[in-house]
Amino acid sequence: MNKINYQKETDRIIGKINEQGTLPKLLLHSCCAPCSSYTLEYLSNYFGITVFYFNPNISPKSEFDKRFDEQKRLIESMPVKNEVKLVRGDYDYSEFLSAVKGLETCREGGERCFICYRLRLEKTAQLAKENGFDYFCTTLSISPLKNSQKINEIGFDLAEKYGVTWLPSDFKKREGYKRSIELSREYDLYRQNFCGCVFSKSDISQTVDNDN
């Protein structure tokens, strides 16, 4: 099956927004400040954005809090064309563990991760619908380690389920990931070396051990 170029889909939607001269409301799920940096720089030109920091997969709680603080600091520090707001989601690590039960030994980037994408995106879609947002989206596709095709597949599925429009994206395109690294350096952002859950941290440790 041919892969879809979701950056072109984003361009198409933004082109229509420019023609209409409107400022639609976007609920943007964010996993961390570094991943949101370029995404906010880019999308804040066309949307009124509320960042939704919802990541029950992150462990321990101190890591969750640290990433939220960095997200807040970035939003307060970075100049943007249109206002960016921030909403902190509830933290319940057991919610994540329950969702991925039975998939603990899956490889990183596989089915366990897909369920984690859906867990976070479903909450985002629900909140977007309840609060009258025009679009919802996530920063996850900026990572070269994340499956953007699967992220968008889940996004469109949830859009149909909840009746709110999914903004297709692949933010790593056009050197978006490279720009996120530059912005992380510029704002001295904390860049974690694992996705967030205990399983991803274990995979990193095993890779390091195997390389020694």
Side-chain angles (χ1 to χ4, degrees):
M1 185 174 64
N2 292 331
K3 290 185 177 181
I4 298 171
N5 187 327
Y6 286 108
Q7 178 60 57
K8 289 185 177 180
E9 293 299 303
T10 311
D11 291 341
R12 181 181 59 79
I13 291 171
I14 287 176
K16 287 185 177 180
I17 291 171
N18 285 335
E19 289 176 5
Q20 295 166 352
T22 57
L23 184 68
K25 295 195 303 178
L26 169 67
L27 185 62
L28 178 68
H29 164 264
S30 175
C31 54
C32 62
C35 286
S36 72
S37 58
Y38 163 73
T39 311
L40 290 174
E41 180 183 66
Y42 170 42
L43 293 182
S44 64
N45 292 304
Y46 313 105
F47 299 90
I49 299 175
T50 296
V51 171
F52 182 39
Y53 180 81
F54 175 69
N55 301 289
N57 59 305
I58 295 176
S59 177
K61 176 67 160 48
S62 59
E63 178 75 15
F64 174 89
D65 291 337
K66 185 173 184 178
R67 295 189 195 188
F68 174 79
D69 290 342
E70 286 293 270
Q71 180 69 83
K72 184 173 183 290
R73 182 171 68 85
L74 175 66
I75 289 173
E76 293 173 345
S77 304
M78 191 169 69
V80 290
K81 181 177 179 179
N82 294 297
E83 182 184 11
V84 175
K85 301 176 183 178
L86 175 61
V87 171
R88 176 177 174 140
D90 295 335
Y91 177 78
D92 182 358
Y93 191 58
S94 64
E95 182 179 12
F96 165 72
L97 292 178
S98 177
V100 300
K101 187 176 181 179
L103 298 170
E104 293 86 352
T105 60
C106 282
R107 65 176 179 82
E108 185 69 6
E111 189 62 31
R112 185 185 66 240
C113 293
F114 299 162
I115 289 176
C116 185
Y117 299 164
R118 181 174 288 274
L119 172 65
R120 291 183 279 174
L121 286 178
E122 182 142 22
K123 188 72 71 173
T124 307
Q126 289 172 341
L127 191 64
K129 179 64 176 178
E130 290 168 3
N131 291 274
F133 282 87
D134 300 296
Y135 295 89
F136 74 104
C137 190
T138 180
T139 64
L140 288 171
S141 70
I142 199 168
S143 170
L145 300 177
K146 298 291 186 294
N147 187 324
S148 61
Q149 298 292 312
K150 193 66 178 181
I151 290 168
N152 282 282
E153 176 187 316
I154 293 169
F156 281 118
D157 182 53
L158 293 172
E160 184 175 351
K161 179 177 178 179
Y162 290 98
V164 61
T165 304
W166 167 252
L167 179 67
S169 65
D170 191 353
F171 295 122
K172 70 178 71 66
K173 297 287 189 180
R174 296 181 183 164
E175 299 193 326
Y177 178 66
K178 179 181 177 182
R179 178 58 179 159
S180 75
I181 294 174
E182 293 171 351
L183 288 168
S184 294
R185 289 173 180 160
E186 180 179 340
Y187 291 97
D188 193 26
L189 297 176
Y190 164 62
R191 290 183 65 88
Q192 61 283 352
N193 65 352
F194 68 107
C195 179
C197 75
V198 66
F199 309 114
S200 63
K201 192 171 186 178
S202 176
D203 282 354
I204 291 292
S205 299
Q206 289 175 13
T207 300
V208 172
D209 290 341
N210 291 336
D211 287 344
N212 289 338

